């Protein structure tokens, strides 16, 4: 059920939440693998670490032989599967996800571009024209798994819209990293093998166009394409991402969903193998291959492939000699500053440009303190940074310096981000400016309140008050939160001459929890606790998920289950009525005020509002 006149709530979907759980859980395994590699490489048995990963494993078929050492099987083989999953994520985001909405995609996209350019520039400052300049791609990548793991520790101080922002940013970041690997770190190309790989990709594309989707066919063609790419000199991970992009993704069609329900009912009435097979095929038809494969492969990449990659590549010897060399190494300096400073400045600058231009919008009501915390965490570069290190440097000395820089820079970035969330998560102005009351539309908008205050409204103050202020507000709006404190002071100042009325106008396009908060306040009204809940919601604007709403309700004496889920949705008509009256009165943004029935267009400052009230009181 939806609120009439308002688009459905746009918080993270169940699929995104499942993705977050998988990625954040895999972070623990990834961290453990990294620590094992470091301890192993620096133990008395450290020589066995490199000896193991240099062991050759060969595949022979007749006269054909394909041999790589274990590290390359992991880096070139298993990591192709990791980038295959990334390719599917990219395809989904651009087809039916956040990147489909160009206005919402622009800020994280430009933030990602800034987060690629600035670290590269800082690295080249320290490595301008010497052989180590080839490592310029190392500090540009963000490790999404580690970032999400830190966000789990941050908890409710990181709102859901910021997670969506960082996930969207990571999509563009991954595409940029793959482009760099393909263009800058592919040295020698066997054009015959490359041509074979291209022909196989064309065959896969044609099969996709005609709607042919059978796993065995794609697996065989995919493996053949990967093998041709490996022989050509093009890094196989590029093929992995390309194959992922080719996997079909679409919005589930209503007819497929209805058909699935029919087949399920038929199976329940007649549970035969034939009916069971039809039901399974019906389910598969209703869910796009992209999402089915992501569900299947995400645990494997998060819990096995990426940790195994860390185990194979993070084992850098750390001793007095390597540390003293790293302290003075331009490679280490470039990597650390690129990750810590370059990423932070680049992400913030890219976001600012997108918002300043007016062409971009964020996925929620974020403040700059939260965005700064996310920008700092974007400097955690591990998986892809290590990956590019192996491609960039053939000399073990430079590779070791870069890996120490990655570990140190990522640790500093994680600590910095955690500190920002601890002390500044609710600081700073809203990232997006409040919607203006003036402008070109002004003359076409009603200047008076079309629906007068009645007994159905929520108000504080006597009905005979000489001044009545009506606010159309949103519990997730930062400017409404600031106005809330001003109104309290005005009530104390003017006493019985002042009446305040609050009407709901949730901007769910930018505030994904606004409708749920409005419903929670209406549910509290059943227990005569509207204003207590109103106060609680504005006091905790960043904690409006279902669990937090239930906790707020219990704090003011209302059962937690009354303000979330189905019980709260009975109040949708009440919220919809407020929205309709606001639209009729020309409300475009929040907060919008009407004083004694006339729309107020002055500054939302205490002095200005108090002066207006005093003028009316004479």
């Amino acid at each position: 059920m939806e609120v009439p006149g308002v688009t459905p709530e746009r918080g993270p979907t169940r699929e995104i939440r499942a993705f977050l759980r998988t990625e954040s859980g895999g972070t623990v395994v990834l961290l453990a693998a990294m620590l094992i590699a470091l301890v192993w490489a620096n133990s008395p048995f450290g020589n066995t670490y490199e000896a193991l990963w240099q062991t050759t494993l060969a595949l022979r078929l007749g006269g054909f032989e394909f041999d790589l050492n274990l590290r390359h099987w992991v880096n070139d083989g298993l990591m192709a599967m990791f980038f295959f999953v990334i390719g599917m994520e990219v395809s989904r985001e651009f087809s039916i996800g956040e990147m489909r909405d160009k206005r919402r995609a622009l800020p994280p996209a430009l933030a990602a571009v800034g987060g690629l350019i600035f670290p590269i520039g800082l690295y080249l400052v320290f490595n301008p024209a010497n052989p180590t300049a080839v490592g310029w791609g190392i500090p540009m990548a963000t490790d999404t798994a580690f970032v999400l793991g830190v966000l789990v520790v941050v908890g409710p101080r990181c709102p859901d819209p910021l997670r969506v922002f960082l996930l969207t940013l990571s999509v563009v970041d991954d595409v940029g990293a793959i482009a760099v690997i393909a263009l800058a770190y592919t040295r020698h190309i066997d054009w015959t093998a490359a041509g074979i790989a291209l022909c196989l990709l064309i065959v896969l594309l044609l099969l996709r166009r005609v709607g042919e989707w059978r796993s065995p066919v794609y697996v065989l063609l995919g493996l053949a394409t990967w093998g041709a790419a490996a022989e050509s000199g093009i890094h196989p991970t590029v093929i992995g991402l390309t194959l992922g992009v080719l996997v079909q993704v679409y919005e589930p069609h209503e007819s497929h969903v209805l058909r699935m329900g029919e087949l399920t009912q038929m199976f329940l009435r007649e549970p035969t193998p034939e009916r069971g097979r039809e039901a399974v095929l019906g389910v598969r038809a209703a869910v796009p291959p992209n999402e089915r494969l992501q569900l299947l492969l995400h645990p494997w990449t998060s819990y096995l492939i990426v940790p195994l990659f860390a185990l194979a590549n993070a084992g850098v010897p750390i001793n007095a000699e390597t540390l003293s060399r790293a302290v003075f190494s331009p490679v280490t300096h470039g990597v650390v500053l690129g990750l810590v400073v370059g990423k932070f400045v680049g992400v913030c600058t890219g976001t600012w440009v997108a918002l300043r231009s007016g062409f971009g919008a964020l996925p929620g009501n974020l403040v700059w303190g939260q965005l700064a915390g996310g920008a700092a965490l974007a400097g955690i570069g591990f998986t892809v940074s290590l990956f590019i290190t192996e491609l960039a440097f053939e000399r073990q000395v430079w590779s070791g310096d870069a890996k120490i820089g990655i570990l140190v820079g990522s640790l500093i970035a994680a600590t910095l981000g955690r500190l920002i969330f601890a002390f500044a998560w609710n600081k700073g102005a809203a990232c997006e400016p409040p919607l203006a009351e003036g402008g070109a539309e002004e003359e076409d908008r009603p200047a008076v309140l079309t629906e007068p205050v009645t007994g159905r409204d929520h108000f504080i103050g006597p009905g005979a008050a000489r001044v009545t202020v009506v606010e159309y507000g949103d519990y997730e709006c930062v400017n409404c939160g600031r106005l809330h404190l001003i109104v309290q002071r005005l009530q104390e100042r003017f006493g019985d001459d002042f009446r305040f009325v609050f009407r709901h106008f949730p901007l769910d396009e930018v505030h994904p929890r606004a409708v749920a908060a409005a419903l929670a306040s209406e549910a509290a009204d059943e227990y005569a606790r509207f204003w207590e809940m109103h106060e609680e919601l504005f006091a905790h604007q960043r904690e409006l998920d279902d669990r937090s709403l239930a906790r707020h309700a219990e704090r003011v004496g209302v059962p937690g289950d009354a303000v979330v889920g189905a019980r709260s949705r009975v109040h949708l008509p009440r919220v919809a009525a407020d929205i309709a009256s606001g639209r009729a009165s020309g409300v475009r943004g929040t907060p919008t005020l009407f004083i004694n029935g006339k729309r107020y267009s002055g500054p939302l400052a205490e002095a200005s509002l108090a002066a207006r009230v005093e003028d009316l009181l004479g």
Side-chain angles (χ1 to χ4, degrees), residues 298-362:
H298 254 307
W300 287 97
T301 58
S302 296
Y303 291 106
L304 178 63
I305 292 176
V306 174
L308 192 58
F309 168 82
L311 185 64
N313 293 275
V316 55
I318 299 178
N319 49 47
E321 180 185 352
T322 57
L323 288 177
S324 62
R325 186 179 63 245
V327 168
F328 298 101
S329 170
V331 173
T332 306
H333 298 164
V335 171
V336 171
L337 287 176
L339 290 173
V340 177
V341 179
K343 274 290 183 181
F344 180 84
V345 174
V347 170
C348 289
T349 301
T351 306
W352 182 84
V353 169
L355 298 179
R356 187 72 173 177
S357 69
F359 296 113
L362 291 174

Side-chain angles (χ1 to χ4, degrees), residues 181-529:
I181 291 171
L183 298 176
Y185 295 109
T186 297
R187 294 183 173 88
H188 306 289
I189 297 179
D190 180 331
W191 292 105
T192 301
I196 294 173
L198 179 61
C199 290
L200 291 171
L201 282 174
I202 293 174
V203 172
L204 284 167
L205 183 60
L206 291 174
L207 289 175
R208 183 181 187 271
R209 294 276 295 179
V210 300
E212 176 63 30
W213 183 262
R214 295 180 183 176
S215 295
V217 175
Y218 276 83
V219 169
L220 290 175
L221 287 175
L223 288 174
T225 307
W226 174 85
E231 285 294 313
S232 72
I234 299 172
H235 203 276
T237 54
V238 178
I239 298 299
L241 182 125
T242 305
L243 291 174
V245 170
L246 292 179
V247 177
Q248 286 183 320
V249 59
Y250 47 79
E251 293 276 11
H253 197 276
E254 185 178 357
S255 63
H256 290 161
V257 177
L258 293 175
R259 177 59 177 164
M260 180 194 70
E262 293 173 358
L263 293 171
T264 302
Q265 291 298 323
M266 292 169 62
F267 175 75
L268 291 174
R269 290 194 298 268
E270 187 181 350
T272 62
E274 292 77 14
R275 294 295 188 196
R277 182 175 181 277
E278 290 177 358
V280 169
L281 292 176
V283 171
R284 295 185 63 184
V287 180
N290 179 294
E291 299 198 10
R292 292 204 310 269
L293 284 173
Q294 285 199 61
L295 182 65
L296 174 66
L297 296 177
H298 254 307
W300 287 97
T301 58
S302 296
Y303 291 106
L304 178 63
I305 292 176
V306 174
L308 192 58
F309 168 82
L311 185 64
N313 293 275
V316 55
I318 299 178
N319 49 47
E321 180 185 352
T322 57
L323 288 177
S324 62
R325 186 179 63 245
V327 168
F328 298 101
S329 170
V331 173
T332 306
H333 298 164
V335 171
V336 171
L337 287 176
L339 290 173
V340 177
V341 179
K343 274 290 183 181
F344 180 84
V345 174
V347 170
C348 289
T349 301
T351 306
W352 182 84
V353 169
L355 298 179
R356 187 72 173 177
S357 69
F359 296 113
L362 291 174
N365 188 37
L366 301 175
V367 297
W368 280 104
Q370 295 163 351
L371 192 71
L377 293 182
I380 302 176
F382 185 75
T383 305
V384 178
S385 294
L386 286 177
F387 192 86
I388 294 177
T389 298
E390 293 297 320
L391 297 176
F393 294 131
E394 294 181 357
R395 288 188 57 180
Q396 196 68 27
V397 171
W398 293 340
S399 177
D401 292 346
K403 289 180 180 180
I404 290 175
I406 292 168
L407 295 175
V408 172
S410 297
L411 181 61
I412 294 174
T415 303
L416 178 61
R418 185 69 183 90
L419 289 174
I420 292 175
F421 278 113
F423 298 106
W425 70 280
N426 60 349
K427 306 296 183 184
C431 296
E432 296 182 85
L435 296 173
E437 287 296 325
E441 299 181 3
E442 188 72 21
E443 60 186 26
D444 298 328
R445 297 167 58 190
V448 297
L449 188 67
T450 57
E451 183 173 328
V453 177
T454 66
R456 64 176 285 279
D457 278 301
H458 302 294
F459 58 85
I460 294 179
R466 297 163 61 192
V467 174
T468 295
V469 175
V470 177
E471 176 191 354
Y472 283 91
D474 176 320
Y475 286 115
E476 204 175 350
C477 169
V478 170
N479 295 298
C480 292
R482 292 171 180 157
L483 180 64
H484 172 70
L485 300 176
I486 294 174
V487 167
Q488 288 180 327
R489 292 193 288 269
L490 293 176
Q491 288 171 325
E492 295 173 359
R493 179 172 176 176
F494 295 106
D496 289 345
D497 284 328
F498 186 91
R499 180 172 63 157
F500 174 70
V501 180
F502 184 83
R503 289 178 177 174
H504 303 289
F505 201 82
L507 299 174
D508 66 325
E509 280 288 338
V510 291
H511 303 154
R513 299 301 306 169
V515 172
L519 293 175
S521 68
E522 290 300 326
D525 188 48
E526 287 189 349
Y527 297 84
R529 293 288 187 276

Side-chain angles (χ1 to χ4, degrees), residues 6-46:
V6 175
T7 56
E9 182 180 341
R10 295 182 62 174
T13 63
R14 186 177 304 171
E15 290 80 7
I16 290 179
R17 293 185 185 278
F19 172 82
L20 291 172
R21 287 194 296 271
T22 300
E23 290 293 319
S24 58
T27 304
V28 177
V29 184
L30 175 58
L31 182 60
M34 180 190 72
L35 293 175
I36 290 172
L38 287 171
V39 171
W40 185 0
N42 291 279
S43 71
F45 310 100

Side-chain angles (χ1 to χ4, degrees), residues 56-298:
T56 299
L57 177 64
L59 295 178
R60 292 186 178 88
L61 182 63
F64 174 78
E65 180 177 320
F66 194 83
D67 64 315
L68 297 170
N69 63 37
L70 289 181
R71 178 173 285 130
H72 278 98
W73 275 112
V74 172
N75 293 356
D76 298 351
L78 292 181
M79 286 299 285
M81 182 64 70
F82 168 74
F83 285 104
F84 175 76
V85 173
I86 287 179
M88 289 193 292
E89 292 169 5
V90 170
S91 177
R92 186 187 188 284
E93 286 300 314
F94 277 94
S95 299
I96 61 176
E98 288 290 327
M99 300 295 285
R100 180 177 58 176
D101 185 341
K102 301 300 185 293
R103 181 171 167 78
R104 290 180 181 276
L106 186 62
L110 288 186
V113 172
L116 295 172
I117 293 174
F118 279 78
I120 292 172
L122 275 176
Y123 182 89
L124 291 176
V125 166
F126 289 91
N127 301 268
N130 51 38
T132 58
V134 71
W136 57 265
I138 296 171
M140 71 176 190
T142 296
D143 193 302
T144 309
F146 266 125
V147 171
L148 295 177
V150 176
L151 292 182
V152 170
V153 177
V154 170
R157 292 194 173 191
C158 172
D160 286 339
L162 181 60
R163 290 183 171 88
V164 174
F165 175 86
L166 291 175
L167 284 172
T168 309
L169 179 152
S170 72
V171 169
V172 181
D173 188 276
D174 289 336
V175 172
I178 287 294
V180 166
I181 291 171
L183 298 176
Y185 295 109
T186 297
R187 294 183 173 88
H188 306 289
I189 297 179
D190 180 331
W191 292 105
T192 301
I196 294 173
L198 179 61
C199 290
L200 291 171
L201 282 174
I202 293 174
V203 172
L204 284 167
L205 183 60
L206 291 174
L207 289 175
R208 183 181 187 271
R209 294 276 295 179
V210 300
E212 176 63 30
W213 183 262
R214 295 180 183 176
S215 295
V217 175
Y218 276 83
V219 169
L220 290 175
L221 287 175
L223 288 174
T225 307
W226 174 85
E231 285 294 313
S232 72
I234 299 172
H235 203 276
T237 54
V238 178
I239 298 299
L241 182 125
T242 305
L243 291 174
V245 170
L246 292 179
V247 177
Q248 286 183 320
V249 59
Y250 47 79
E251 293 276 11
H253 197 276
E254 185 178 357
S255 63
H256 290 161
V257 177
L258 293 175
R259 177 59 177 164
M260 180 194 70
E262 293 173 358
L263 293 171
T264 302
Q265 291 298 323
M266 292 169 62
F267 175 75
L268 291 174
R269 290 194 298 268
E270 187 181 350
T272 62
E274 292 77 14
R275 294 295 188 196
R277 182 175 181 277
E278 290 177 358
V280 169
L281 292 176
V283 171
R284 295 185 63 184
V287 180
N290 179 294
E291 299 198 10
R292 292 204 310 269
L293 284 173
Q294 285 199 61
L295 182 65
L296 174 66
L297 296 177
H298 254 307

